[in-house]
């Protein structure tokens, strides 16, 4: 009986040591998984920061471009108005010239054309920025 008890005690100790070793290995694997998840989370966070910076740069560039376009359109409008004044003055001086209404209509058409071109250019810029933003999102 003593030999059997000693054998069972030894067997129980061996089994306990095996379980302890298996638990240590499982804990190490879990710790490795946790570390890997931390690395992945850090990479994702870095990518999100980079994407946010790129998005902000794109937004600022788009706002700057839109402001430049507004200023350019304003200058063109001023130039057109000056040309309209000159044309009106020449019209008054020249007899038999087209009526003032006709000149106003022509000037209004020119102004509308300049504004349409400015809007078309702005739309093109916006579409380009949307395309860039879509590419950035795809990279995420």
């Amino acid at each position: 009986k003593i030999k059997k008890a000693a054998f069972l005690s030894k067997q129980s100790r061996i089994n306990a040591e095996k379980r302890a070793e298996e638990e240590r290995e499982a804990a190490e694997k879990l710790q490795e998984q946790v570390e890997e998840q931390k690395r992945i989370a850090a990479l994702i966070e870095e990518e999100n920061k980079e994407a946010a910076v790129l998005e902000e740069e794109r937004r600022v560039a788009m706002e700057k471009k839109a402001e430049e376009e507004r200023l350019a359109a304003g200058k063109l409008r001023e130039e057109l108005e000056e040309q309209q004044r000159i044309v009106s003055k020449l019209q008054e001086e020249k007899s038999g010239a087209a009526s003032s209404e006709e000149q106003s209509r022509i000037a209004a058409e020119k102004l509308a054309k300049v504004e349409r071109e400015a809007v078309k250019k702005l739309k093109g810029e916006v579409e380009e920025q949307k395309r860039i933003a879509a590419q950035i999102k795809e990279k995420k």
Side-chain angles (χ1 to χ4, degrees), residues 34-128:
V34 166
E35 293 300 321
E36 182 63 21
Q37 291 300 319
K38 285 180 183 178
R39 282 192 296 275
I40 290 170
L43 288 173
I44 289 171
E45 185 176 336
E46 185 63 29
E47 286 178 0
N48 287 342
K49 285 179 185 177
E50 290 173 6
V53 167
L54 289 174
E55 180 64 22
E56 179 63 15
E57 288 173 355
R58 182 200 61 79
R59 186 191 62 77
V60 168
M62 200 164 89
E63 286 177 1
K64 183 179 178 184
K65 186 69 173 172
E67 182 61 25
E68 289 171 358
E69 292 296 329
R70 281 190 291 275
L71 292 174
K75 276 187 172 182
L76 288 173
R77 201 172 294 114
E78 289 173 10
E79 290 175 18
L80 183 58
E81 289 170 359
E82 180 61 28
Q83 291 300 318
Q84 287 173 335
R85 284 190 290 275
I86 292 169
V87 168
S88 293
K89 187 175 180 181
L90 289 173
Q91 237 180 354
E92 290 171 8
E93 294 172 359
K94 185 176 179 183
S95 61
S99 71
S100 176
E101 287 180 22
E102 180 66 13
Q103 287 299 319
S104 294
R105 182 189 62 75
I106 291 169
E109 287 175 359
K110 287 181 182 177
L111 178 60
K113 180 180 178 184
V114 168
E115 289 176 344
R116 280 193 305 273
E117 288 173 1
V119 167
K120 184 177 177 182
K121 192 171 182 180
L122 284 173
K123 284 183 180 177
E125 291 290 332
V126 168
E127 290 302 318
E128 178 66 14

